[in-house]
Amino acid sequence: MGILHRENYPRRISLSTTPTFYHRHPSPIGELVIAGNSEALSYIGFPSGNRQATVKSTWERCQEPFKEVCRQLDLYFAGSLTRFDLPLLPVGTPFQQRVWQALLDIPYGETTSYGKIAETIAQPTASRAVGNANGSNPIPIIIPCHRVIGQDGTLIGFGGGLPVKRYLLQLEDKEQLSFGF
């Protein structure tokens, strides 16, 4: 999809000079906090888990920039959307950006492991670093870090909590899951 590459969003976007807006959006997994500027999405926060949503005091509440984000999230949760098409602006290191780009290439309804992502980005010994980058993903669901599971097929780590991860995976492919729960 390539939406993380700089050429896919205007060069004039600067996180320091562009106001950050946020919106609270209801979903089947609870209220999500969505944030970004008027051009691109940069954050989704969960209602629970160790990556619980936070709203910074400098952010302005405004729904307008997120109408398309909300529409696509609603379609995803309804089972009608399998690939998001949104301008994204996740902030991270070059390594994190490569990992997040690789996450975008995991097909809907499929899963992979940290090791396979490490191989994909041509750093086969970096599975721990891939795990850290996966856990730092600022735009979960849309950058589908929930599709990364343990090498042995078990559910491991997720910023929204394992019940949310399980829900998202079951939403995408009810037949695929056999995690022994």
Side-chain angles (χ1 to χ4, degrees):
M1 189 186 238
I3 55 181
L4 296 181
H5 297 291
R6 288 210 172 269
E7 64 270 11
N8 291 325
Y9 55 82
R11 291 179 191 268
R12 63 184 157 78
I13 291 176
S14 167
L15 295 178
S16 61
T17 60
T18 303
T20 299
F21 301 106
Y22 79 97
H23 172 64
R24 296 181 182 277
H25 186 67
S27 80
I29 58 173
E31 186 178 75
L32 301 172
V33 173
I34 302 165
N37 59 36
S38 60
E39 306 274 338
L41 179 67
S42 59
Y43 174 81
I44 292 181
F46 292 109
S48 61
N50 63 2
R51 300 275 305 195
Q52 193 166 358
T54 57
V55 174
K56 296 184 180 178
S57 62
T58 57
W59 294 0
E60 300 174 31
R61 191 171 192 155
C62 182
Q63 181 180 1
E64 185 63 32
F66 307 110
K67 286 185 177 181
E68 183 60 17
V69 175
C70 294
R71 185 186 77 76
Q72 289 189 33
L73 281 169
D74 290 344
L75 289 171
Y76 170 80
F77 284 117
S80 302
L81 183 77
T82 60
R83 190 156 180 106
F84 293 94
D85 185 17
L86 297 164
L88 303 178
L89 186 61
V91 176
T93 67
F95 179 82
Q96 288 172 327
Q97 296 283 337
R98 288 197 335 264
V99 170
W100 299 336
Q101 185 64 51
L103 296 176
L104 287 167
D105 294 331
I106 305 169
Y108 180 93
E110 293 184 24
T111 57
T112 193
S113 67
Y114 297 133
K116 292 217 190 264
I117 293 288
E119 290 172 14
T120 298
I121 64 168
Q123 293 200 269
T125 61
S127 59
R128 282 185 191 244
V130 165
N132 288 333
N134 196 56
S136 298
N137 174 12
I139 312 175
I141 304 171
I142 293 171
I143 299 176
C145 53
H146 61 278
R147 296 179 188 155
V148 181
I149 60 174
Q151 190 75 27
D152 62 358
T154 58
L155 290 184
I156 53 174
F158 187 65
L162 291 182
V164 171
K165 183 172 190 162
R166 184 178 304 111
Y167 176 87
L168 294 173
L169 290 171
Q170 288 173 338
L171 172 70
E172 292 186 11
D173 189 354
K174 296 174 188 348
E175 303 300 317
Q176 171 195 329
L177 300 179
S178 58
F179 297 114
F181 296 107

